[in-house]
Amino acid sequence: MVTALLTGFFLGLSLIVAIGAQNAFVLRQGIIGQHVFYVALFCALSDALLISIGVAGISFFFSNVINQISNILFGFSALWLMGYGILRIKAVFKTDKKIEIEELKSKGLLSTISIAAILTFANPHVYLDTMVLIGSISQQFFGYNKIIFTFGAVLASFVFFFSLAYGAKLLEPKMQHPLSWKILDSLIALIMFTIAFKLAAAGNWL
């Protein structure tokens, strides 16, 4: 049970922690102090919905054939995670990026949530990460453990988005320095490689 929870949590956290348009928007809202709670809640609930659909959907479609294709599925997921990890390692050696927060005019709640919705659901990677990758990896767990895995992945989204939104004023100055990005990318790569190794072993690839 603990393994399922930690796997789901750290996998979910690793997939969303890399800065992108959605995360930059959440960070920016936190810095300017506008609709912070609602933006974080919307992003976390959106992830929870997509993760649940991914786990439930793949479980439904694969229920009769999972035993036959499990090794292929685990191997594919392991390679995918290795790819993410390699990208993060490459970023460690060449990154010089920093977060630049532009001044924004005040926007209403509906307008703000609309922007968050576009940044969330118009990004194809969100479907690959939540519905396909997390859904696929969930297949190594069964019954109650699969629910715990899903809870862990969903919990990671809530922890990340609320921490990012409310910790933005402390985080933003630190993330102006390239060294901070190197540390972050190194941690992401370590988590990715660890989970990929476990999946490869589960699929008898090692």
Side-chain angles (χ1 to χ4, degrees), residues 8-165:
F9 182 83
F10 286 114
L11 174 63
L13 192 63
S14 297
L15 292 174
I16 64 175
V17 72
I19 200 69
Q22 182 196 48
N23 295 348
F25 179 74
V26 174
L27 183 63
R28 183 170 54 188
Q29 291 303 119
I31 291 172
I32 64 178
Q34 290 185 346
H35 313 302
V36 178
F37 174 81
Y38 295 104
V39 168
L41 181 63
F42 175 83
C43 292
L45 288 176
S46 298
D47 263 13
L49 174 63
L50 294 173
I51 289 170
S52 298
I53 291 174
V55 174
I58 289 184
S59 295
F60 175 77
F61 288 113
F62 287 175
S63 59
N64 294 323
V65 297
I66 186 62
N67 290 331
Q68 287 77 20
I69 67 170
S70 60
N71 288 352
I72 297 175
L73 188 64
F74 292 162
F76 172 76
S77 298
L79 288 175
W80 194 333
L81 287 176
M82 287 291 292
Y84 269 100
I86 291 171
L87 288 176
R88 299 274 59 82
I89 288 295
K90 290 176 62 178
V92 169
F93 293 101
K94 69 177 183 180
T95 184
D96 58 356
K97 59 186 176 182
K98 61 181 180 180
I99 301 174
E100 296 181 357
I101 306 300
E102 61 181 352
E103 294 295 329
L104 297 177
K105 296 181 179 179
S106 179
K107 290 184 173 63
L109 176 60
L110 181 59
S111 176
T112 300
I113 295 300
S114 298
I115 295 173
I118 293 172
L119 293 176
T120 299
F121 295 106
N123 177 13
H125 290 289
V126 73
Y127 302 103
L128 295 174
D129 291 345
T130 57
M131 298 179 68
V132 178
L133 183 56
I134 293 180
S136 297
I137 292 176
S138 72
Q139 299 310 302
Q140 67 180 295
F141 300 104
F142 300 92
Y144 186 67
N145 280 333
K146 182 174 291 186
I147 297 175
I148 294 298
F149 169 86
T150 305
F151 174 76
V154 169
L155 179 63
S157 293
F158 276 85
V159 170
F160 174 77
F161 284 118
F162 277 92
S163 298
L164 181 64

Side-chain angles (χ1 to χ4, degrees), residues 165-182:
Y166 284 100
K169 288 190 179 296
L170 295 176
L171 180 63
E172 189 270 340
K174 297 180 182 299
M175 297 307 291
Q176 296 290 346
H177 303 290
L179 178 60
S180 298
W181 285 102
K182 293 179 184 295

